[in-house]
Amino acid sequence: EMATGPPVPSFTPHAETAASVIEHFKTSPDGLGSDEAAKRLIRDGPNELLGEHQVHWYKMLFDQVFNSISFILFAAAAVSLATRDFISGGVIVFVIGLNVVIGFAQEYKSEQTMDALRKMSAPTANVLRDGRATTVPAREIVVGDVLVLVDGDQVIADARLIEAVNLRVDEALLTGETVPANKQTLVITDPALGASLADRNNMVYKSCV
């Protein structure tokens, strides 16, 4: 089964023929060339949702310094120093610093571990590039790519089907339906049917299986 091109708001692939979709996204049934795919990746950016990036170290440090516990300790230290209780004030400042260092180190280590796991489990997709089937990282999928889907594959990007043979997709994440949806490639001309994602049976959507 093959699909092409994530839809954009001004275009409704489910209501267009496969040929029209291919023409609109300036691609072909044999997929994009490697050079063109690289240009589109630079132009449009990676195929990933906002928030999938790792948290920056300075954001973690900021969160460790400026939180409710730190504010209470800062207030206590200020009172101690204001009353010339320098020993207590010094101890509290030391506790604040120690708390920040330990908290930051633990969070940073945890984030590094999670980032490593994300890289290890980074999904890939089978696409047609230069007329040949090849496997690329999911984040490198671009508009106009022709995806090749087989049983068990996770759909990496929203796409319009151009070929489908006995294709069924689990869309429970989108529709709540527990029964996999049957897919086909015909145009959906009825506006009432096209209004619902569940009725767009010539489309597949990211994260479905």
Side-chain angles (χ1 to χ4, degrees):
E1 298 84 11
M2 295 188 294
T4 186
V8 294
S10 59
F11 186 68
T12 52
H14 66 275
E16 304 288 342
T17 65
S20 296
V21 173
I22 289 171
E23 181 180 3
H24 178 82
F25 289 113
K26 295 181 173 59
T27 184
S28 77
D30 294 325
L32 298 170
S34 297
D35 291 342
E36 178 61 24
K39 291 177 183 177
R40 296 188 185 197
L41 181 61
I42 294 172
R43 182 192 70 191
D44 301 327
N47 173 46
E48 58 188 7
L49 298 174
L50 295 176
E52 290 185 352
H53 299 287
Q54 69 181 71
V55 179
H56 295 293
W57 67 267
Y58 49 81
K59 175 67 165 55
M60 290 185 278
L61 183 59
F62 181 89
D63 290 341
Q64 290 297 325
V65 174
F66 299 99
N67 57 55
S68 57
I69 295 177
S70 293
F71 286 143
I72 293 172
L73 292 176
F74 278 132
V79 171
S80 297
L81 295 175
T83 58
R84 297 182 177 276
D85 186 355
F86 299 114
I87 295 178
S88 296
V91 170
I92 294 173
V93 170
F94 174 77
V95 170
I96 293 173
L98 186 63
N99 182 64
V100 168
V101 170
I102 293 176
F104 172 77
Q106 290 178 336
E107 187 173 355
Y108 183 78
K109 182 178 180 180
S110 175
E111 182 59 31
Q112 290 293 99
T113 300
M114 290 301 297
D115 188 48
L117 289 174
R118 281 194 291 266
K119 290 179 180 177
M120 290 174 59
S121 61
T124 59
N126 295 317
V127 300
L128 295 181
R129 292 270 175 91
D130 301 313
R132 300 187 303 271
T134 186
T135 301
V136 300
R139 69 188 308 274
E140 294 181 10
I141 296 297
V142 298
V143 174
D145 261 330
V146 174
L147 309 179
V148 181
L149 305 176
V150 297
D151 288 343
D153 281 354
Q154 182 184 65
V155 180
I156 298 303
D158 297 352
R160 167 66 157 89
L161 293 167
I162 59 176
E163 287 186 21
V165 179
N166 298 325
L167 177 62
R168 290 163 61 85
V169 178
D170 183 351
E171 296 182 334
L173 286 173
L174 294 176
T175 66
E177 296 289 339
T178 57
V179 179
N182 292 310
K183 296 295 181 176
Q184 52 86 36
T185 61
L186 299 178
V187 177
I188 298 176
T189 56
D190 187 343
L193 289 178
S196 169
L197 292 180
D199 292 326
R200 297 180 184 180
N201 57 7
N202 58 5
M203 301 284 298
V204 290
Y205 295 96
K206 183 178 172 68
S207 298
C208 295
V209 180

